[in-house]
């Protein structure tokens, strides 16, 4: 009888370990933007601000960290005092939303998105913004209309998201940042 109990406990532990490993490797889905979403840095409701939004899902929190701008989302990944157990980073695909209504469920993986930086459009808090797109053609069309250049997530300069609020101050900035994988 004792042998069966020990075997059952070992099997339960093995299964628990497998489940834990599976959840770490699989990216959790994004959460739909809703009226409860409050910006981490500004403490304000995201739905009250124009422009693209962001969310970061960590292993240590049930709810995502919400951001009123993509710039703030990227900055969060660079700050040493923020959580490092990031499981997913999502941003608004601006090809599927408008500046005033960026969308509630058109999230894309931030690490795979293309960004227009240095454009004339300002983010939700009136600062320079990194405008995300899933498709190159949409990013190119936005840059043609609003200025700026197209970069990948890893090519967004740390000074662009951590520095001055003026997009003009960063038009020639090419120093990329290191980020969480």
């Amino acid at each position: 009888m004792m042998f069966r109990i020990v075997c059952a406990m070992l099997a339960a532990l093995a299964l628990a370990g497998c489940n834990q490993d599976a959840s770490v490797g699989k990216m959790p889905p994004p959460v739909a933007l809703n009226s409860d979403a409050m910006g981490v840095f500004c403490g304000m409701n995201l739905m009250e601000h124009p422009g693209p939004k962001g969310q970061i899902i960590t292993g240590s929190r049930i709810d995502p960290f919400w951001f009123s701008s993509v710039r703030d989302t990227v900055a969060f990944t660079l700050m040493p005092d923020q959580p490092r157990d990031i499981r997913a980073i999502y941003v608004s695909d601006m090809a599927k939303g408008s500046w005033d209504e960026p969308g509630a469920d058109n999230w894309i993986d931030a690490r795979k998105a293309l960004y227009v930086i240095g454009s004339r459009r300002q983010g939700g808090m009136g600062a320079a913004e990194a405008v995300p797109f899933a498709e190159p053609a949409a990013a190119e069309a936005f840059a043609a209309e609003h200025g700026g250049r197209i970069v990948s997530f890893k090519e967004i300069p740390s000074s662009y998201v951590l520095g001055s609020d003026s997009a003009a101050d960063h038009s020639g900035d090419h120093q990329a940042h290191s980020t969480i994988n």
Side-chain angles (χ1 to χ4, degrees):
M1 179 67 165
M2 184 63 136
F3 177 75
R4 288 183 188 170
I5 293 172
V6 170
C7 286
M9 289 175 64
L10 288 174
L13 286 173
L15 287 175
C18 289
N19 288 340
Q20 183 179 17
D21 291 343
S23 68
V24 170
K26 186 176 180 185
M27 199 163 107
V31 175
L33 182 62
N34 59 63
S35 61
D36 294 332
M38 299 294 179
V40 169
F41 296 135
C42 66
M44 299 175 75
N45 188 299
L46 267 64
M47 298 180 109
E48 296 174 3
H49 299 283
K53 311 293 181 238
Q55 63 175 284
I56 293 179
I57 300 172
T58 63
S60 58
R61 244 176 93 125
I62 294 173
D63 297 324
F65 287 97
W66 291 103
F67 300 91
S68 60
S69 72
V70 171
R71 176 186 171 157
D72 287 351
T73 310
V74 176
F76 184 91
T77 69
L78 300 174
M79 296 175 169
D81 56 334
Q82 298 302 337
R84 295 286 148 232
D85 62 339
I86 293 175
R87 299 205 36 232
I89 307 169
Y90 293 107
V91 291
S92 307
D93 181 358
M94 292 306 288
K96 296 181 179 175
S98 70
W99 204 257
D100 290 328
E101 299 282 334
D105 58 6
N106 54 320
W107 300 104
I108 54 175
D109 181 344
R111 293 176 181 114
K112 295 179 181 175
L114 294 171
Y115 299 86
V116 176
I117 61 172
S119 78
R120 292 181 291 278
R121 296 304 306 249
Q122 292 184 333
M125 298 303 290
E129 183 59 285
V131 186
F133 296 92
E135 299 297 326
E140 290 165 5
F142 183 89
E145 182 176 348
H146 300 286
R149 64 186 173 96
I150 301 169
V151 297
S152 70
F153 183 81
K154 289 186 177 201
E155 294 171 327
I156 298 172
S158 59
S159 62
Y160 188 78
V161 296
L162 297 172
S164 170
D165 284 348
S166 171
D169 292 344
H170 302 285
S171 60
D173 193 347
H174 296 284
Q175 178 184 357
H177 66 78
S178 298
T179 188
I180 298 172
N181 291 330

